Amino acid sequence: MLLGLGVDAWLTRQVQAMHSEIIPLLTNNAMLANQHTDPVSGALSRAALDRLLSEFSTRHGQSKSAFALIMIDIDGFKAINDQHGHPAGDAVLRTCAARWRAMLRESDWLCRYGGDEFCVLLPGTALHQARVVADKLMQASRELIRVTDHAQRSAEVRLTISLGAAACAPSEVMNATALLAIADRMLYQSKAAGGDQITAIATTQEIHGQ
C-alpha cells in the first residue's frame, strides 16, 4: 500500500532505479540468495540490511535526497515466548512483519535487525514523513494476533512496539550506518520512557544536541 508521502515523480524514479539495482546485489549468488531473507519473519535479513546501508550511503551522496530510518522493538517480547512458547513468538514476528510491509511503499525496505528488533529504510523521506510511517506501524501492531501456544491451544496476543526514527536532509553528508545508530538511540529512549511510543530526531538536532 502506497503512503502519500509527497515524493515527486523524479525522486520516485530514482528510488525505483535504486531498488532494481540493489535486488541483484542481494541475489547475485547462491549464498546471498539464502542470506537476504530472514527465515523466521520473512523480512530482509541482517546481511541484506548491511548491504543496503552501504548502498544508501553511496546513493545519498549522489542524489542529495532525504532518507530516514526507523528502528522497531516489540515491547515485552520475551514474555510472549515465556508464556506461549517460541513457535508462538515466531508467529508473532511473521505476523508483525507482514503487517508492517503492508504499511510501506514498494520502495521501502523492512529488515530484521536481530531478535525482536526490525529496521525500516525509507528513501526520499523527511523526518515528519517518517513520523507518519512510524505511527502507522504502531497502529498496525496493536491489532490482535492469534497464535497456537506450546500446549497446542489457541491464544490471543496483544502487543505494543517502541520506535526510534532518524532522518537525514538532502544537504547533509551522513553515513547510513551512523544514521542507524541515531535511530537506535531514539528507540532506546522510547523503551526507557515505558515503551509504546515513538521518539524521532533529525540528524541536525543530534549533531547540535537539540
Side-chain angles (χ1 to χ4, degrees):
M1 180 175 70
L2 298 181
L3 296 177
L5 299 181
V7 180
D8 60 37
W10 177 86
L11 182 54
T12 298
R13 288 195 297 271
Q14 294 294 103
V15 167
Q16 289 172 342
M18 182 180 72
H19 208 265
S20 64
E21 290 177 16
I22 294 177
I23 284 291
L25 290 178
L26 299 177
T27 58
N28 62 359
N29 61 51
M31 181 180 69
L32 288 177
N34 291 329
Q35 289 180 349
H36 84 278
T37 301
D38 173 60
V40 174
S41 67
L44 291 177
S45 66
R46 179 63 183 270
L49 173 62
D50 291 341
R51 293 181 71 89
L52 287 166
L53 291 173
S54 176
E55 187 70 15
F56 263 56
S57 296
T58 301
R59 293 285 176 168
H60 175 69
Q62 294 173 349
S63 65
K64 298 298 182 183
S65 61
F67 71 95
L69 295 174
I70 300 173
M71 289 293 293
I72 308 169
D73 181 89
I74 300 175
D75 298 326
F77 184 72
K78 183 179 183 299
I80 296 173
N81 281 331
D82 291 344
Q83 183 176 355
H84 302 293
H86 288 279
D90 290 348
V92 168
L93 294 177
R94 286 192 297 273
T95 300
C96 286
R99 289 179 179 177
W100 296 335
R101 280 197 302 269
M103 296 294 105
L104 301 173
R105 303 168 296 180
E106 292 180 0
S107 56
D108 300 330
W109 303 84
L110 173 67
C111 306
R112 188 181 181 192
Y113 187 73
D116 60 318
E117 289 192 12
F118 290 77
C119 178
V120 180
L121 289 79
L122 302 166
T125 304
L127 184 64
H128 71 281
Q129 297 164 331
R131 286 179 181 270
V132 172
V133 177
D135 185 66
K136 288 180 179 291
L137 298 174
M138 174 178 281
Q139 297 305 320
S141 303
R142 289 175 174 161
E143 297 179 16
L144 184 70
I145 300 175
R146 189 174 295 279
V147 300
T148 301
D149 67 15
H150 46 70
Q152 297 302 305
R153 295 172 301 196
S154 178
E156 295 180 345
V157 174
R158 295 187 183 275
L159 55 82
T160 61
I161 61 174
S162 297
L163 304 98
C168 183
S171 59
E172 295 178 85
V173 177
M174 172 61 65
N175 180 284
T177 302
L179 188 66
L180 176 67
I182 296 172
D184 198 46
R185 285 197 290 274
M186 297 303 101
L187 168 64
Y188 278 93
Q189 286 190 26
S190 292
K191 297 291 286 185
D196 191 22
Q197 58 190 284
I198 303 164
T199 305
I201 193 170
T203 53
T204 51
Q205 294 174 294
E206 172 80 5
I207 291 169
H208 296 294
Q210 299 176 355

